[in-house]
């Protein structure tokens, strides 16, 4: 049950992030995005406890937290009109890593 909520929330986070970037002035989207972060983190922590904290998923969780940080940085820098190119590269790398770990392509 938590897996499907967690996976759906990941999709929702990505969609809300793209919308928040394109519609800079819409604060409701940003609020919904931040609520989605909380749901994603909560379900992730619950699943970590259920799986007894395997290292790969702890790594995924840490990468996901870093990705949330880059998303927030992108939103702020985009709003202020500052350069975001290096942060976009970091975001894309983190997103790919998190997805590959989530779909069990990367394991250890």
């Amino acid at each position: 049950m938590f897996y499907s909520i967690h996976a759906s929330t990941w999709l929702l986070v990505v969609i809300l992030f793209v919308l928040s970037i394109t519609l800079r002035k819409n604060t409701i989207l940003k609020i919904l995005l931040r609520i989605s972060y909380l749901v994603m983190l909560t379900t992730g922590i619950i699943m970590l406890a259920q799986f007894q904290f395997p290292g790969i998923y702890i790594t995924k969780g840490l990468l996901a937290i870093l990705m949330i940080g880059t998303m927030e940085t992108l939103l702020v820098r985009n709003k202020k009109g500052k350069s975001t190119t290096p942060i976009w590269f970091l975001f894309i790398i983190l997103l790919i890593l998190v997805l590959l770990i989530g779909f069990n392509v990367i394991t250890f």
Side-chain angles (χ1 to χ4, degrees):
M1 178 175 91
F2 287 110
Y3 176 78
S4 60
I5 294 170
H6 188 71
S8 300
T9 306
W10 265 103
L11 179 62
L12 183 64
V13 162
V14 171
I15 291 169
L16 288 173
F17 174 68
V18 169
L19 288 174
S20 294
I21 284 288
T22 55
L23 305 171
R24 286 192 232 186
K25 306 259 186 209
N26 195 333
T27 56
I28 293 174
L29 283 175
K30 292 175 185 161
I31 292 169
L32 290 173
L33 177 63
R34 290 174 181 135
I35 291 170
S36 298
Y37 294 156
L38 293 175
V39 172
M40 180 184 64
L41 289 171
T42 303
T43 56
I45 291 168
I46 290 170
M47 288 191 312
L48 265 175
Q50 287 178 345
F51 296 147
Q52 299 177 349
F53 299 96
I56 187 73
Y57 293 123
I58 292 173
T59 304
K60 179 184 177 259
L62 293 173
L63 290 173
I65 291 169
L66 287 173
M67 192 181 83
I68 289 171
T70 60
M71 291 166 77
E72 286 296 313
T73 303
L74 284 166
L75 288 172
V76 169
R77 291 181 71 90
N78 189 35
K79 183 178 178 181
K80 291 182 178 181
K82 294 184 177 180
S83 173
T84 58
T85 306
I87 301 165
W88 273 109
F89 285 123
L90 180 60
F91 169 73
I92 291 168
I93 290 167
L94 288 170
L95 180 63
I96 290 169
L97 285 173
V98 167
L99 289 174
L100 290 176
I101 292 171
F103 288 115
N104 292 322
V105 176
I106 296 176
T107 57
F108 58 82

